[in-house]
Amino acid sequence: MNRVVLLLVFSLFSLIGGNAQTRKINDLKKEHAKINRKISESEKVLKTTARNVKAQIGNLVLINGKIDERTKYIQTIRADVDALTQDISTMQGKIEQQERLLNDKKLKYEVLMRHVHRQRSIQDKLLFIFSAKSMTQIYRRIRYVREYSKYLRVQANYIEQKRNELSSQRSELEATKNVKDNMLVQEEAEKQKLEKQKKERQTMVRNLQAQEKNIKKTIAEQKKKAASLNAQIDRLVAAEVEAARKRAEAKRKAEAEAARKAREAENRRRL
């Protein structure tokens, strides 16, 4: 006799008349129905929690992607900054070299000018002429001094111009480096924000997964309790049905015995 038949038979006997056993079974049924409602509610919460876990994991994937992009961009900027630093260092070396050349040219020019000034201050034109062997030599000396002086000035001007160009280029490189440095700081700050969001999401996912695990555990316990109540109800119903069957059988036998005795009494009376 399966469970459905047992319950139908039990319901039939319950309609005929109840007893303590019947009330106990009904109470167990109510408790079973209550547990089933809890299971249904827990399963709804479990579905919602599972959706939230999936959504947060999706957010984590997006955040990880953004962090990877930021990291690559930061690496690119840092490489640019390193290259600019190297270029600035190289440019500074060239500037210092040009300054040394310029100082050397200036020193030679100053020595020449002091020598010419000293010659002009201690000798007059007549002595300067007589000190030369010929007029040609005098003109040659004067032209040499002028041309060499001019050469030194031209060289000094060229070096000064070159140094200024290098300084300008260095300033441009430094300005570009400053921009890159600011970009690097901003990108690092954005990356830190993303890392913070990542940690928050990871904590949220862990909490949701723990909640999901607890809900599954609760549902399993509730189902186990519901199954236990089902088994208990089935045993009580089977016992009640069997008891009712025995009572009905005893009543049938008693009625049959009474009918037999009545017939025997009737037969004796007729005799």
Side-chain angles (χ1 to χ4, degrees):
M1 191 178 293
N2 60 37
R3 188 168 187 272
V4 175
V5 174
L6 282 174
L7 289 175
L8 288 174
V9 173
F10 171 76
S11 299
L12 179 61
F13 283 114
S14 298
L15 292 174
I16 297 173
N19 53 32
Q21 189 79 339
T22 302
R23 287 193 297 272
K24 184 177 181 181
I25 293 173
N26 288 332
D27 290 341
L28 289 174
K29 283 184 176 182
K30 289 178 182 178
E31 186 177 355
H32 183 267
K34 184 178 178 180
I35 291 174
N36 278 338
R37 286 194 296 270
K38 288 183 178 179
I39 291 173
S40 179
E41 292 171 359
S42 297
E43 287 177 340
K44 288 179 181 179
V45 174
L46 179 62
K47 288 180 180 179
T48 301
T49 305
R51 285 196 298 268
N52 289 337
V53 169
K54 186 177 180 180
Q56 294 304 327
I57 290 175
N59 288 334
L60 268 177
V61 172
L62 291 175
I63 291 173
N64 284 333
K66 290 181 180 179
I67 290 174
D68 290 341
E69 290 177 1
R70 292 282 180 182
T71 301
K72 291 177 182 177
Y73 190 42
I74 287 171
Q75 290 173 348
T76 301
I77 295 174
R78 187 172 285 117
D80 290 344
V81 170
D82 292 342
L84 286 167
T85 301
Q86 182 63 37
D87 290 344
I88 290 170
S89 177
T90 301
M91 193 68 67
Q92 181 62 33
K94 291 181 179 179
I95 290 172
E96 291 173 357
Q97 182 184 15
Q98 293 298 319
E99 286 178 344
R100 287 193 296 270
L101 290 173
L102 180 61
N103 291 333
D104 181 65
K105 296 296 182 183
K106 284 182 177 180
L107 181 62
K108 289 180 179 179
Y109 183 74
E110 289 172 0
V111 170
L112 177 63
M113 289 300 99
R114 283 197 301 271
H115 176 72
V116 171
H117 179 73
R118 185 167 58 251
Q119 289 297 328
R120 289 180 178 177
S121 63
I122 63 176
Q123 296 177 349
D124 56 17
K125 293 181 180 179
L126 186 61
L127 290 175
F128 183 69
I129 292 172
F130 283 119
S131 66
K133 294 180 180 181
S134 65
M135 291 299 295
T136 301
Q137 188 179 18
I138 292 173
Y139 290 133
R140 189 179 293 116
R141 288 179 180 179
I142 294 173
R143 186 174 63 187
Y144 169 78
V145 170
R146 288 177 178 175
E147 288 179 354
Y148 187 62
S149 175
K150 181 180 179 181
Y151 167 77
L152 289 176
R153 285 198 303 273
V154 170
Q155 286 294 309
N157 289 335
Y158 171 78
I159 293 171
E160 181 73 24
Q161 181 182 358
K162 189 67 176 178
R163 188 189 65 173
N164 290 337
E165 289 176 0
L166 292 172
S167 295
S168 177
Q169 292 176 13
R170 182 186 63 184
S171 297
E172 291 177 2
L173 289 173
E174 288 176 343
T176 303
K177 181 178 178 294
N178 288 334
V179 172
K180 293 285 186 179
D181 284 336
N182 291 332
M183 290 174 62
L184 190 60
V185 170
Q186 293 175 1
E187 290 299 320
E188 287 286 2
E190 289 299 322
K191 183 182 177 182
Q192 290 299 322
K193 290 180 182 178
L194 289 171
E195 290 287 356
K196 183 179 178 182
Q197 291 179 17
K198 178 182 178 180
K199 290 181 180 179
E200 291 173 352
R201 299 290 181 182
Q202 286 175 333
T203 300
M204 190 178 297
V205 168
R206 283 195 298 269
N207 292 337
L208 287 171
Q209 287 175 334
Q211 182 180 350
E212 185 179 19
K213 184 178 179 181
N214 289 333
I215 293 172
K216 287 180 178 179
K217 182 180 178 181
T218 300
I219 290 174
E221 291 173 351
Q222 289 171 337
K223 286 184 176 181
K224 184 178 179 181
K225 188 174 182 180
S228 176
L229 285 173
N230 270 337
Q232 189 177 354
I233 290 170
D234 287 345
R235 286 194 301 271
L236 290 173
V237 168
E240 182 64 18
V241 169
E242 180 63 18
R245 186 189 65 77
K246 288 180 179 180
R247 287 195 299 271
E249 181 65 19
K251 182 180 179 182
R252 184 188 65 77
K253 287 180 178 180
E255 290 175 347
E257 181 64 20
R260 185 185 66 78
K261 288 181 179 180
R263 286 194 301 271
E264 288 179 354
E266 180 66 24
N267 291 333
R268 285 195 299 268
R269 191 170 54 253
R270 289 177 180 178
L271 293 175

